[in-house]
Amino acid sequence: MSPYPIAIVGAGLAGLTLGRCLRQHGVAAVVLERVSSSPRYNYAITLHPWAFQPLLNILQMDEGLFREKLAIDSVRHGTGKVPEGALAPGINADSATFRCHRGRLEKLLQEGQDIRWGHTVQDVTTSSQGIVVQLKDAKPLDAKVLIGTDGVHSQVRKSLAPHIELKVLPFVVFNGKRQFTRAEYQDQFASKMQNAAIVHSNHGDIILEISINDYTLEHVDVSYTYSRPARHNDPLHKPDRPIPRATDIPEDFYRELDTLNDLQQPFNIIFDSSKVRRDRVLHWLMRSTLGSLTEVRRLAKQSILLVGDAVHAMPILGGEGANNAMKDGVDLAQYIVDHGTESLQAFVDARYEAWKRGVEESEKRLTDMHAHARAFL
């Protein structure tokens, strides 16, 4: 069998955006994704116009329809409103910025693409004949060009550039989810949220955040985040925590919640430790990474490119990873349409400084937002 012209590893926002843009321009590509096609992301992300507006022509829809399909509260004719000051210091939201349902966005981007679900990449090798992707429980796949869009734990990066390491930043972050009936939400949250999709409360260097993940006819899904800087000998800061232990929540966390006094509604409802214990809570590590220009160019010379979180990951808080992943997909697709795939180093050269600046600024924002919280105690 002839090699695939372009193989994309990872059906996240970078990979799906890239694949959809290439398809629109008549460029063949296959997307390999380790998980099944079941919806994976039932949560909201903040979308900025600089990330989604270039996609509108590709999707052949106007901005109003795009927002109507994807705003987390569109079922009640909402627009995913992001209130002034709701985002981290240094992230500017204009009138077109909105809270978008990521699962619905990915479903929209998937349409018409050749996505191989359940294809787990185990290794990637290169030779003078091309690129071979070794897959679990499937035949190897040959490709002329390989694009690694498989996120912060990229297997492509681990196989071909293992010394590009993740950095864990010194912050303690826990995220939980809870579901309310529409009546409960109206009674306990609606007046305090004021039709906003995200609100914050600061307590010293601790930031409490509540955001709406989904709004249906029957219920409202809420996400909440507790974050603060790590402290000396901090029992809650576990930078070496393995991925499968993210659901192991220390008792110290619940005791710390109990020290938060005089919380106002709706924060007193959400951050009640007795209720949090019954929720699905995850211990989030604030990770970042940036491959060196030399290393990323070396791979590009072999027709292998890392984009999105696979090469310039930003921390979940303070970062704009989803938006930058989509921008990478749009920009790379346009580059391939205009220049082909023979000189991917030129794409790296054009984008690298922006990647570097984005990672550095996201790390600084994470620090600044907690310093800002302390200043307003």
Side-chain angles (χ1 to χ4, degrees):
M1 181 181 291
S2 300
Y4 285 91
I6 299 175
I8 302 168
V9 178
L13 288 175
L16 290 175
T17 301
L18 172 61
R20 184 64 184 268
C21 292
L22 290 175
R23 173 182 173 274
Q24 190 69 18
H25 290 290
V27 179
V30 60
V31 181
L32 307 174
E33 173 53 52
R34 64 181 180 85
V35 304
S36 71
S37 60
S38 302
R40 298 180 294 161
Y41 297 115
N42 185 36
Y43 62 78
I45 58 175
T46 299
L47 275 192
H48 297 291
W50 55 263
F52 73 79
Q53 286 177 347
L55 263 178
L56 297 177
N57 286 337
I58 297 295
L59 298 173
Q60 298 180 324
M61 64 174 60
D62 61 32
E63 187 169 326
L65 180 58
F66 183 81
R67 188 184 294 263
E68 181 182 326
K69 283 179 172 289
L70 302 178
I72 51 96
D73 53 355
S74 60
V75 71
R76 61 181 183 122
H77 309 293
T79 60
K81 176 184 174 183
V82 178
E84 183 178 352
L87 303 181
I91 297 181
N92 297 317
D94 66 18
S95 59
T97 299
F98 75 105
R99 294 289 283 176
C100 164
H101 190 281
R102 176 167 175 165
R104 296 203 294 270
L105 173 60
E106 291 198 353
K107 279 290 185 184
L108 180 64
L109 294 172
Q110 289 168 16
E111 293 176 4
Q113 296 203 53
D114 181 4
I115 304 175
R116 309 293 174 84
W117 301 101
H119 280 56
T120 301
V121 174
Q122 292 190 310
D123 197 12
V124 179
T125 58
T126 61
S127 70
S128 57
Q129 281 71 48
I131 301 163
V132 179
V133 183
Q134 302 292 338
L135 300 167
K136 181 180 180 181
D137 301 326
K139 293 181 179 180
L141 182 141
D142 297 329
K144 293 182 179 179
V145 175
L146 182 67
I147 312 296
T149 63
D150 46 341
V152 68
H153 300 294
S154 169
Q155 185 58 50
V156 176
R157 186 188 68 233
K158 291 176 182 177
S159 295
L160 298 172
H163 52 280
I164 299 179
E165 297 182 345
L166 295 175
K167 176 168 61 173
V168 177
L169 305 173
F171 289 86
V172 168
V173 183
F174 292 91
N175 173 265
K177 294 178 175 60
R178 196 176 307 163
Q179 188 176 94
F180 297 88
T181 66
R182 284 280 296 271
E184 289 172 333
Y185 178 81
Q186 286 298 123
D187 180 54
Q188 301 176 18
F189 292 87
S191 64
K192 302 298 181 182
M193 298 289 286
Q194 298 179 340
N195 293 322
I198 182 169
V199 293
H200 296 89
S201 179
N202 300 336
H203 300 267
D205 58 1
I206 298 170
I207 298 178
L208 308 179
E209 176 186 288
I210 302 173
S211 61
I212 307 301
N213 272 342
D214 199 10
Y215 200 110
T216 74
L217 294 175
E218 295 81 25
H219 60 260
V220 180
D221 291 330
V222 173
S223 174
Y224 56 91
T225 303
Y226 174 100
S227 66
R228 62 165 175 75
R231 295 161 184 158
H232 181 64
N233 293 329
D234 196 326
L236 297 182
H237 182 51
K238 300 180 182 296
D240 299 321
R241 171 189 60 70
I243 296 172
R245 301 290 296 276
T247 56
D248 294 351
I249 308 302
E251 194 64 28
D252 291 278
F253 170 59
Y254 301 110
R255 285 195 286 267
E256 199 162 295
L257 287 181
D258 289 333
T259 67
L260 297 174
N261 299 316
D262 302 322
L263 293 182
Q264 302 298 308
Q265 194 172 346
F267 295 94
N268 59 341
I269 298 170
I270 290 294
F271 291 94
D272 181 331
S273 65
S274 64
K275 296 182 174 69
V276 172
R277 287 179 183 274
R278 300 195 294 267
D279 295 336
R280 183 176 187 270
V281 178
L282 296 176
H283 172 216
W284 278 354
L285 295 179
M286 296 296 100
R287 298 183 177 97
S288 66
T289 194
L290 179 68
S292 70
L293 177 59
T294 300
E295 185 69 6
V296 181
R297 291 191 89 255
R298 177 185 69 81
L299 293 176
K301 190 174 182 180
Q302 302 175 66
S303 299
I304 298 168
L305 197 58
L306 298 172
V307 296
D309 282 349
V311 69
H312 59 103
M314 303 176 183
I316 300 172
L317 301 183
E320 297 177 298
N323 289 267
N324 280 279
M326 293 169 65
K327 179 171 174 54
D328 280 356
V330 170
D331 290 351
L332 178 55
Q334 191 62 55
Y335 179 88
I336 291 172
V337 169
D338 292 342
H339 305 286
T341 59
E342 297 303 315
S343 58
L344 293 176
Q345 301 102 308
F347 176 79
V348 173
D349 292 341
R351 293 288 295 139
Y352 188 81
E353 283 304 314
W355 290 349
K356 180 180 178 182
R357 185 169 59 253
V359 172
E360 292 173 347
E361 289 177 354
S362 68
E363 293 177 348
K364 183 177 184 299
R365 279 195 297 268
L366 181 60
T367 299
D368 288 350
M369 62 192 283
H370 290 86
H372 181 79
R374 179 184 290 276
F376 278 84
L377 177 61

